[in-house]
mmCIF file of all heavy atoms in Angstrom:
data_model
loop_
_atom_site.group_PDB
_atom_site.id
_atom_site.type_symbol
_atom_site.label_atom_id
_atom_site.label_comp_id
_atom_site.label_asym_id
_atom_site.label_seq_id
_atom_site.Cartn_x
_atom_site.Cartn_y
_atom_site.Cartn_z
ATOM 1 N N ARG A 2 -54.764 -7.234 8.078
ATOM 2 C CA ARG A 2 -54.160 -8.530 8.011
ATOM 3 C C ARG A 2 -52.718 -8.522 8.253
ATOM 4 O O ARG A 2 -52.129 -9.405 8.915
ATOM 5 C CB ARG A 2 -54.455 -9.175 6.662
ATOM 6 C CG ARG A 2 -55.942 -9.582 6.525
ATOM 7 C CD ARG A 2 -56.217 -10.156 5.095
ATOM 8 N NE ARG A 2 -55.514 -11.394 4.911
ATOM 9 C CZ ARG A 2 -55.450 -12.003 3.711
ATOM 10 N NH1 ARG A 2 -55.932 -11.413 2.652
ATOM 11 N NH2 ARG A 2 -54.842 -13.185 3.588
ATOM 12 N N LEU A 9 -48.578 -11.865 15.105
ATOM 13 C CA LEU A 9 -48.448 -13.340 15.260
ATOM 14 C C LEU A 9 -46.985 -13.782 15.122
ATOM 15 O O LEU A 9 -46.485 -14.602 15.836
ATOM 16 C CB LEU A 9 -49.327 -14.084 14.265
ATOM 17 C CG LEU A 9 -50.801 -14.028 14.611
ATOM 18 C CD1 LEU A 9 -51.612 -14.732 13.389
ATOM 19 C CD2 LEU A 9 -51.156 -14.753 15.923
ATOM 20 N N MET A 11 -44.350 -11.911 15.558
ATOM 21 C CA MET A 11 -43.632 -11.360 16.752
ATOM 22 C C MET A 11 -43.859 -12.315 18.010
ATOM 23 O O MET A 11 -42.909 -12.622 18.684
ATOM 24 C CB MET A 11 -44.099 -10.037 17.073
ATOM 25 C CG MET A 11 -43.747 -8.960 16.077
ATOM 26 S SD MET A 11 -41.989 -8.854 15.810
ATOM 27 C CE MET A 11 -41.431 -8.328 17.426
ATOM 28 N N HIS A 15 -40.862 -14.467 19.333
ATOM 29 C CA HIS A 15 -40.442 -14.169 20.708
ATOM 30 C C HIS A 15 -40.463 -15.405 21.546
ATOM 31 O O HIS A 15 -39.517 -15.645 22.292
ATOM 32 C CB HIS A 15 -41.227 -13.023 21.318
ATOM 33 C CG HIS A 15 -40.706 -12.552 22.625
ATOM 34 N ND1 HIS A 15 -39.464 -12.030 22.735
ATOM 35 C CD2 HIS A 15 -41.263 -12.554 23.878
ATOM 36 C CE1 HIS A 15 -39.261 -11.725 23.981
ATOM 37 N NE2 HIS A 15 -40.344 -12.040 24.696
ATOM 38 N N SER A 16 -41.534 -16.191 21.516
ATOM 39 C CA SER A 16 -41.660 -17.339 22.336
ATOM 40 C C SER A 16 -40.757 -18.493 21.911
ATOM 41 O O SER A 16 -40.186 -19.188 22.699
ATOM 42 C CB SER A 16 -43.047 -17.856 22.394
ATOM 43 O OG SER A 16 -43.559 -18.246 21.120
ATOM 44 N N ALA A 58 -24.314 8.365 12.960
ATOM 45 C CA ALA A 58 -23.335 9.505 13.104
ATOM 46 C C ALA A 58 -23.993 10.816 12.599
ATOM 47 O O ALA A 58 -23.724 11.870 13.090
ATOM 48 C CB ALA A 58 -22.077 9.169 12.280
ATOM 49 N N LEU A 62 -31.983 9.145 8.887
ATOM 50 C CA LEU A 62 -32.512 7.888 8.288
ATOM 51 C C LEU A 62 -32.500 8.083 6.772
ATOM 52 O O LEU A 62 -33.344 8.746 6.216
ATOM 53 C CB LEU A 62 -33.866 7.561 8.821
ATOM 54 C CG LEU A 62 -34.400 6.206 8.407
ATOM 55 C CD1 LEU A 62 -33.601 5.035 8.996
ATOM 56 C CD2 LEU A 62 -35.892 6.061 8.788
ATOM 57 N N ALA A 159 -14.977 -4.099 -17.282
ATOM 58 C CA ALA A 159 -14.337 -2.787 -17.570
ATOM 59 C C ALA A 159 -14.416 -1.875 -16.378
ATOM 60 O O ALA A 159 -15.401 -1.910 -15.713
ATOM 61 C CB ALA A 159 -15.116 -2.193 -18.773
ATOM 62 N N ALA A 172 3.235 10.583 -28.303
ATOM 63 C CA ALA A 172 3.585 10.596 -29.640
ATOM 64 C C ALA A 172 4.856 9.759 -29.806
ATOM 65 O O ALA A 172 5.749 9.796 -28.991
ATOM 66 C CB ALA A 172 3.856 12.009 -30.159
#
Side-chain angles (χ1 to χ4, degrees):
R2 286 176 71 191
L9 289 174
M11 292 300 297
H15 187 61
S16 63
L62 186 68

